[in-house]
Amino acid sequence: MKGLLLLAALLSVAILATVADRADTINLFNQLKRVKKGRMLGSDEDFVSLVQSQLLLAEEEYVRSSINGESSILQELSTAEAQASGPNCVDFIRQKTALMLNLAGVSYASCLSRVDDAFFEKLYDVTNGVVSREQYDQANMLNAFRGENIFVDMERIRGKLQERMRATFKLPTLTAESLQEIRSELGEVKEQFSECMKVARATLDTSLEGTSKQYKHVCAKKLE
């Protein structure tokens, strides 16, 4: 009996830790919003960082909905009924739920890397190759997420972001026509990013739905 109570207590602590980690993830987007608010639309110097901020903030919707999907399962696992069904089984479901979210984080990072590369290609073309990748990456906020998982690597991402936010990247002087051209082409880039994120989110939805059913059937022994 004492062993079961201990397992239940450890499970509660693990769930609370997950909730705290997710709040930290959301705070990252609040930081980005403050940065974006402080920059003037239309400034060539801030144009690149502004677009990058917009793309990162577009990710927020998917990250929030992913966390909400996880949260609904965690809330179910926190009930007295769930605890009575056996903490070991419930903890397996918690671990699987976290794994599904981490896999979604890998997919989201892949989407950001793809949009980052596409954005640079547009800049490279419109400046006739004057902008190098090395110059671009010095203040590249999107690159802070490359190879990192927003649900796992928050401290590393935050450190990279702070470093890149302190750096500056100024576009070469562009004609109004060239600047308008790249702005219009960015619409296509943003659409591709949105589609990539939707696919990743849909995959997570399916996984979370299956995990919720596993809890009901295996742990709670409910028949639908």
Side-chain angles (χ1 to χ4, degrees):
M1 183 65 179
K2 288 183 179 179
L4 290 176
L5 290 175
L6 177 59
L7 285 173
L10 291 174
L11 176 60
S12 297
V13 170
I15 290 175
L16 289 174
T18 298
V19 172
D21 287 343
R22 302 312 180 219
D24 194 33
T25 297
I26 295 302
N27 284 337
L28 178 68
F29 291 102
N30 294 332
Q31 180 184 2
L32 285 169
K33 287 174 184 175
R34 289 193 294 271
V35 171
K36 180 174 178 288
K37 187 176 181 180
R39 287 175 170 153
M40 296 295 293
L41 182 63
S43 166
D44 288 356
E45 185 171 353
D46 287 333
F47 172 69
V48 172
S49 59
L50 186 64
V51 170
Q52 290 174 346
S53 295
Q54 290 172 341
L55 289 167
L56 288 174
L57 289 174
E59 184 191 20
E60 180 182 12
E61 171 191 350
Y62 301 96
V63 171
R64 280 186 179 274
S65 62
S66 300
I67 291 174
N68 288 340
E70 179 193 42
S71 179
S72 65
I73 294 180
L74 292 181
Q75 287 175 5
E76 196 168 16
L77 298 183
S78 300
T79 63
E81 180 184 19
Q83 300 299 319
S85 69
N88 276 324
C89 187
V90 169
D91 194 44
F92 289 147
I93 296 297
R94 179 194 64 80
Q95 292 179 48
K96 184 182 178 184
T97 302
L99 177 61
M100 294 302 101
L101 211 71
N102 292 346
L103 287 172
V106 173
S107 296
Y108 294 164
S110 177
C111 292
L112 280 172
S113 293
R114 288 166 61 180
V115 75
D116 181 27
D117 292 339
F119 183 33
F120 171 73
E121 286 177 10
K122 299 295 184 185
L123 289 176
Y124 185 85
D125 289 343
V126 80
T127 61
N128 296 316
V130 172
V131 175
S132 70
R133 184 75 200 213
E134 183 179 1
Q135 291 172 319
Y136 171 73
D137 279 341
Q138 287 178 354
N140 182 7
M141 291 189 292
L142 295 175
N143 199 39
F145 291 77
R146 190 178 291 267
E148 308 290 0
N149 190 320
I150 195 166
F151 298 120
V152 179
D153 307 313
M154 277 304 306
E155 288 306 314
R156 286 203 296 270
I157 291 173
R158 182 175 283 108
K160 289 181 180 180
L161 273 177
Q162 289 173 348
E163 179 183 345
R164 284 156 177 75
M165 286 175 181
R166 287 192 294 266
T168 58
F169 172 76
K170 185 173 177 61
L171 279 173
T173 302
L174 298 174
T175 64
E177 182 180 356
S178 295
L179 200 55
Q180 182 58 40
E181 177 187 346
I182 190 170
R183 281 177 172 155
S184 62
E185 289 182 352
L186 282 175
E188 179 184 345
V189 172
K190 291 177 181 178
E191 286 180 11
Q192 292 172 352
F193 175 62
S194 178
E195 186 60 31
C196 183
M197 294 294 287
K198 285 178 182 177
V199 171
R201 178 68 180 102
T203 301
L204 175 62
D205 279 342
T206 301
S207 298
L208 290 178
E209 183 180 355
T211 301
S212 179
K213 287 181 178 179
Q214 279 188 312
Y215 159 70
K216 292 181 175 68
H217 294 166
V218 179
C219 299
K221 297 179 174 58
K222 294 180 180 179
L223 298 178
E224 295 183 354

